[in-house]
Amino acid sequence: MRAAGAAGAGVNLLALRSHNTALVLDLLRTAGPEGISRLELAERTRLTPQAVSKITARLREDGLAVEAGRRASTGGKPRTVLRLVPEAGHAVGVHLDRDEVRVVLMDLRGAVVGERRAPLDLGAGAGAVLAAVTGVVRETADEVLSAVPAVGAGALARAGSPLGVGVALPGPLDHTRGVLHRVTGFPEWDGFPLREALAERLGVPVVIDKDTNAAALGLAAGGEGGSFAYLHLGTGLGAGLVIGGGVHRGARTGAGEFGHQVIQLDGPPCTCGDRGCVEALCLAAVARGDTEEAARVLGAGAANLVGLLDIDVVLLGGRTVGATPEPFVRGVGAVLGARARRTGQDAVPVRVAAGGGRVVAEGAAQLVLGPVFGRGDG
């Protein structure tokens, strides 16, 4: 990952975002190793056979697609099928937490092929944090990509050149501009252009989003359907919302500050500056070892969310939930069940989110991969 490659990688990523190319790539991805024929691609994309031939020829030249044999036809000669080459491109996902950084490297099919974790102090200052993140990202990418042979003529095929880096961290922040706001507990980051600073250091395109939004995006890309809320309880508490098939960020990309809803007027102070927030109450219960009370408080916040948005499912994640998942699922489920009985509605199910401790980092990688395959949440 060198700065000299920034322009090439950026241009290639923009080229891949062409709508028709993205349609074809997504069908190649979902077809799996068995592949798909050009005729099927034309039928399913409603593109002309000539357009599909041009797109697939370019994808083969770039090393993104290869022939995967022939399939019997209902008439005429057998059809040649094509498949995606997963190792022809990679995305880096970074979970930048308050006390550690986790990095994953993901191939085009969404499989994690490299991972690293390192301690980090988000309050150590921009220089120290940027240096730490840059180092872990480069180590993770170089370890895997240095062994990947060049498979075509395009920029994606060059070893050591990932598509980009997705970075997820606590909010609030401006996803569109890649600028941090007053990160809860770390107001000194207010106004810092994190996307620009990391892109300059890493030499590839960078996308920034809140940790909970990234996790929600990754869960949706992994097959979680319907409208759902992902509640992340770790060093803080936040929510990622998927409504109508897409991540809901809000007009100013500030949605999901779930932990800072006040449920106890004149309650204990919160790091956000308010009092009686769900986050403050929940983390205080966790600190004194009262998991049942933490789950009950989390459930009260979840019940407010369910009543407001009428979502299909509540998913729980984060290191605190991961350490003792059963009491949190049971406790939050009990509060939502009591609400359902009062309102005469079906109870909204509560589950632990798939992905474990990697859910945020994997979602951050999907911030980069999504647009390549025509999923506009990146």
Side-chain angles (χ1 to χ4, degrees):
M1 297 180 66
R2 298 173 296 276
V11 168
N12 199 71
L13 181 57
L14 291 173
L16 278 175
R17 288 181 176 179
S18 120
H19 177 67
N20 290 343
T21 302
L23 288 176
V24 171
L25 273 171
D26 194 45
L27 288 172
L28 286 168
R29 180 185 64 85
T30 55
E34 294 78 17
I36 186 171
S37 71
R38 292 178 181 83
L39 179 59
E40 290 173 296
L41 287 170
E43 290 173 346
R44 295 177 64 178
T45 60
R46 299 187 180 180
L47 297 172
T48 65
Q50 293 81 4
V52 168
S53 291
K54 287 181 179 179
I55 291 171
T56 53
R58 188 164 61 248
L59 294 177
R60 291 182 64 195
E61 181 181 353
D62 283 345
L64 290 165
V66 294
E67 290 188 356
R70 294 179 179 274
R71 183 178 298 159
S73 172
T74 54
K77 62 181 182 180
R79 300 172 186 169
T80 300
V81 296
L82 302 170
R83 67 169 179 85
L84 184 72
V85 180
E87 64 273 18
H90 296 82
V92 178
V94 178
H95 180 190
L96 183 55
D97 209 343
R98 293 171 174 88
D99 58 0
E100 76 166 15
V101 58
R102 183 192 292 256
V103 175
V104 300
L105 187 71
M106 186 176 283
D107 68 18
L108 293 179
R109 195 160 288 155
V112 173
V113 295
E115 180 179 9
R116 265 186 168 78
R117 295 171 67 183
L120 179 106
D121 178 6
L122 195 57
V129 171
L130 290 173
V133 172
T134 300
V136 179
V137 168
R138 284 178 171 160
E139 289 171 6
T140 308
D142 290 348
E143 179 183 27
V144 176
L145 298 185
S146 61
V148 176
V151 289
L156 271 180
R158 293 202 297 269
S161 180
L163 285 165
V165 176
V167 181
L169 72 159
L173 54 80
D174 186 332
H175 162 71
T176 304
R177 295 170 53 232
V179 174
L180 304 187
H181 292 321
R182 296 179 65 85
V183 176
T184 305
F186 300 90
E188 64 271 22
W189 284 99
D190 190 20
F192 187 81
L194 183 61
R195 181 179 66 192
E196 179 183 327
L198 278 176
E200 183 177 350
R201 284 175 175 254
L202 293 170
V204 293
V206 173
V207 186
I208 304 291
D209 208 345
K210 288 201 297 189
D211 46 12
T212 49
N213 287 345
L217 173 64
L219 291 166
E224 188 67 51
S227 296
F228 64 86
Y230 167 73
L231 308 184
H232 185 92
L233 178 59
T235 57
L237 174 61
L241 307 172
V242 170
I243 301 173
V247 176
H248 177 71
R249 295 186 176 91
R252 289 163 293 280
T253 71
E257 290 298 311
F258 168 84
H260 301 297
Q261 54 175 307
V262 175
I263 63 171
Q264 182 181 326
L265 295 178
D266 301 321
C270 181
T271 52
C272 74
D274 216 329
R275 303 183 71 91
C277 293
V278 173
E279 178 175 297
L281 296 168
C282 198
L283 292 181
V286 170
R288 62 177 183 266
D290 192 347
T291 303
E292 289 189 3
E293 175 64 9
R296 190 177 72 87
V297 172
L298 184 59
N304 288 343
L305 199 58
V306 168
L308 185 66
L309 299 176
D310 194 22
I311 53 178
D312 299 316
V313 64
V314 171
L315 303 174
L316 306 181
R319 69 175 74 167
T320 302
V321 170
T324 54
E326 177 53 34
F328 281 99
V329 172
R330 184 175 62 248
V332 173
V335 177
L336 294 185
R339 179 189 178 276
R341 289 190 293 274
R342 290 194 306 271
T343 59
Q345 298 174 330
D346 292 335
V348 172
V350 181
R351 304 197 305 267
V352 173
R358 295 198 313 209
V359 64
V360 174
E362 291 185 15
Q366 289 291 348
L367 290 167
V368 175
L369 288 182
V372 173
F373 296 104
R375 301 190 300 270
D377 269 317

